[in-house]
Amino acid sequence: MISDTLDKKVGSISVFEHVAEYEHEQVVYCYDKTTGLKAIIAVHNTVLGPAMGGTRMWDYATEEEAAIDVLRLSRGMTFKSAIAGLNIGGGKAVIIGDARKIKNEALMRRFGKFIDSLGGRYVTAEDVNMTTQDMEYIRMETSHVAGIPENLGGSGDPSPVTAYGVYVGMKAANKKVTGSDDLKGRRILVQGVGNVGTNLISYLTKEGAEIFVSDIFEDKLEKVTSAYKVSVVPSSEVFEFDMDIYAPCALGGTLNDDSISKLKCSIVAGGANNQLLDEVRHGNMLIDRGITYAPDFLINGGGIINVGCEYLGNYNREVVMGKTEHIYNTCLSVLDKSEEDGITPQEAAMKIAIDRINAIGGIKLSF
Ligand code: NAD
């Protein structure tokens, strides 16, 4: 049986202790001297199907930081696919290094060979610092990849679909809080204007929201300010900024003791994975501060719906958008359940996901 809580461990602990805590099936360390590849693939749970989740490339300060990131992210993927109703399990990969400096064709193809060696237990796609071109390179070495370019028969970059799910999830949260799902005139801060953030801004612009943006890279900000009517907020001022909705679309862990005590908003709804540094503590802190949280793994599920449908075959964009739109209803149900049961929205969403995994796991045991 999969559990919904994590034991709190203090200090540095071994990989096996982490794996035991997060309940992974398999963790694979990949190293290649020639290309300089250092990657970790984490297969969290395959009860519903092959472990699927994007590859993130990041210049992690330590190997332990990379390991914890991939373990947390892959666990989140298990719940994400389960609540989206997909027959897909949870996995994720990280490549350690600065994408702007070391990413190239050979590195990506060597990584593809490692994925292939798992025989389909892990299927990759895009995450932070990954492009459809990278998926094309991986595809040269393995078929266990999705999010490949449309001209090669794939479904392309999943982020527009992810952003659509975040947008409808945000609307649902707004309905819960204000009684209306109209985002016109709402002050919304999008933190991280990469693939998901920029696509989200496009939807919010069409709806007439008042949009604020923040990013750590000047070139990303320039791109978005030249394309949309948005105002830039310095990174250091994000959490003190007066807004209605905070939309984290960069990295995880931005909802923590420090940020939550400062936040001036009534809703958090964004695309970033693992926004709550501590699921229980920070989920409850948000409730105490009167802030409604749309669970990240629920509302950013559009991307996995997209790449999952590509991988499973018979890809149809209309079907994918329809499944993604359903996030609106699920989000409203989760927020209602959270209120009725006196639990956090994160706990309410996880309960739905875990119940499905356990129910389907039970069926599988019968033959
Ligand atoms: P991306 O690399 O295209 O964009 C991330 C952006 O965040 C970049 O512009 C980066 O400069 C910025 N950033 C990084 N640290 C920051 C900080 N401290 N403050 C402000 N900005 C910062 O990645 P993406 O594909 O847009 O993914 C964004 C988030 O959404 C990630 O957490 C990812 O795991 C999650 N996500 C993405 C998808 C998808 O379809 N791409 C699906 C589900 C979840």
Side-chain angles (χ1 to χ4, degrees):
M1 292 288 251
I2 191 165
S3 64
D4 61 352
T5 49
L6 295 172
D7 291 337
K8 287 287 136 286
K9 298 256 169 51
V10 182
S12 181
I13 60 174
S14 75
V15 172
F16 271 118
E17 281 177 292
H18 283 306
V19 169
E21 181 189 9
Y22 291 110
E23 301 178 292
H24 282 72
E25 291 178 13
Q26 188 179 14
V27 181
V28 183
Y29 278 69
C30 314
Y31 173 68
D32 178 61
K33 195 175 177 183
T34 314
T35 55
L37 175 74
K38 281 186 188 171
I40 312 172
I41 299 171
V43 174
H44 180 255
N45 187 292
T46 57
V47 168
L48 295 177
M52 193 166 187
T55 295
R56 172 174 295 188
M57 187 156 184
W58 195 253
D59 202 6
Y60 293 98
T62 64
E63 282 171 25
E64 190 181 19
E65 196 184 296
I68 291 174
D69 206 28
V70 77
L71 293 177
R72 278 169 56 92
L73 288 165
S74 51
R75 177 174 175 269
M77 292 309 298
T78 295
F79 303 131
K80 187 184 298 196
S81 288
I83 202 167
L86 300 169
N87 288 320
I88 285 176
K92 201 87 181 178
V94 295
I95 298 177
I96 301 171
D98 187 339
R100 292 182 182 219
K101 291 184 186 152
I102 68 160
K103 195 170 72 170
N104 58 37
E105 179 185 351
L107 185 111
M108 294 316 303
R109 291 181 66 167
R110 186 66 188 90
F111 179 58
K113 281 192 181 293
F114 277 111
I115 293 173
D116 201 56
S117 72
L118 293 175
R121 274 177 64 70
Y122 170 67
V123 183
T124 201
E126 292 91 343
D127 193 64
V128 175
N129 285 321
M130 283 291 140
T131 63
T132 51
Q133 167 76 80
D134 299 319
M135 298 307 118
E136 191 178 337
Y137 289 142
I138 292 172
R139 181 72 181 78
M140 292 173 189
E141 306 300 336
T142 183
S143 58
H144 306 303
V145 52
I148 54 176
E150 280 154 298
N151 60 9
L152 293 177
S155 63
D157 175 13
S159 358
V161 188
T162 302
Y164 183 59
V166 173
Y167 165 65
V168 298
M170 185 184 282
K171 282 173 81 67
N174 200 66
K175 183 164 178 65
K176 180 76 185 167
V177 171
T178 69
S180 161
D181 65 13
D182 191 353
L183 298 173
K184 188 165 191 279
R186 298 291 274 162
R187 289 167 63 85
I188 303 173
L189 191 152
V190 179
Q191 182 188 37
V193 288
N195 294 327
V196 176
T198 307
N199 281 292
L200 175 62
I201 288 167
S202 165
Y203 284 113
L204 299 178
T205 300
K206 284 182 202 133
E207 186 138 344
E210 196 179 343
I211 307 166
F212 303 88
V213 294
S214 177
D215 203 288
I216 48 170
F217 288 115
E218 232 9 85
D219 57 331
K220 300 265 188 170
L221 287 170
E222 272 163 28
K223 209 169 151 194
V224 80
T225 49
S226 61
Y228 299 97
K229 190 169 169 279
V230 296
S231 311
V232 175
V233 174
S235 287
S236 58
E237 292 170 25
V238 165
F239 300 113
E240 278 98 359
F241 191 72
D242 197 359
M243 56 194 155
D244 296 307
I245 302 175
Y246 164 49
C249 293
L251 299 188
T254 60
L255 298 172
N256 50 49
D257 285 358
D258 182 50
S259 63
I260 297 174
S261 60
K262 292 178 190 155
L263 269 180
K264 288 186 187 153
C265 62
S266 54
I267 294 169
V268 176
N273 282 309
N274 296 339
Q275 292 166 27
L276 297 163
L277 187 62
D278 180 311
E279 284 166 10
V280 178
R281 176 179 171 80
H282 298 121
N284 280 303
M285 265 183 87
L286 285 170
I287 291 185
D288 293 344
R289 293 265 355 258
I291 298 170
T292 296
Y293 174 63
D296 51 10
F297 73 87
L298 163 62
I299 71 167
N300 72 14
I304 193 68
I305 292 171
N306 194 58
V307 291
C309 289
E310 175 187 329
Y311 186 69
L312 296 173
N314 300 321
Y315 181 83
N316 179 311
R317 188 74 165 194
E318 260 177 56
V319 171
V320 164
M321 293 309 266
K323 275 182 189 286
T324 304
E325 194 160 310
H326 193 66
I327 288 173
Y328 179 93
N329 291 334
T330 312
C331 189
L332 274 180
S333 314
V334 161
L335 295 176
D336 286 345
K337 183 176 172 56
S338 151
E339 197 174 54
E340 284 156 18
D341 296 356
I343 55 178
T344 68
Q346 177 85 2
E347 288 167 323
M350 278 176 65
K351 188 162 170 24
I352 294 170
I354 289 171
D355 284 352
R356 177 163 180 255
I357 294 166
N358 288 338
I360 303 305
I363 290 171
K364 284 189 174 178
L365 290 175
S366 63
F367 61 85

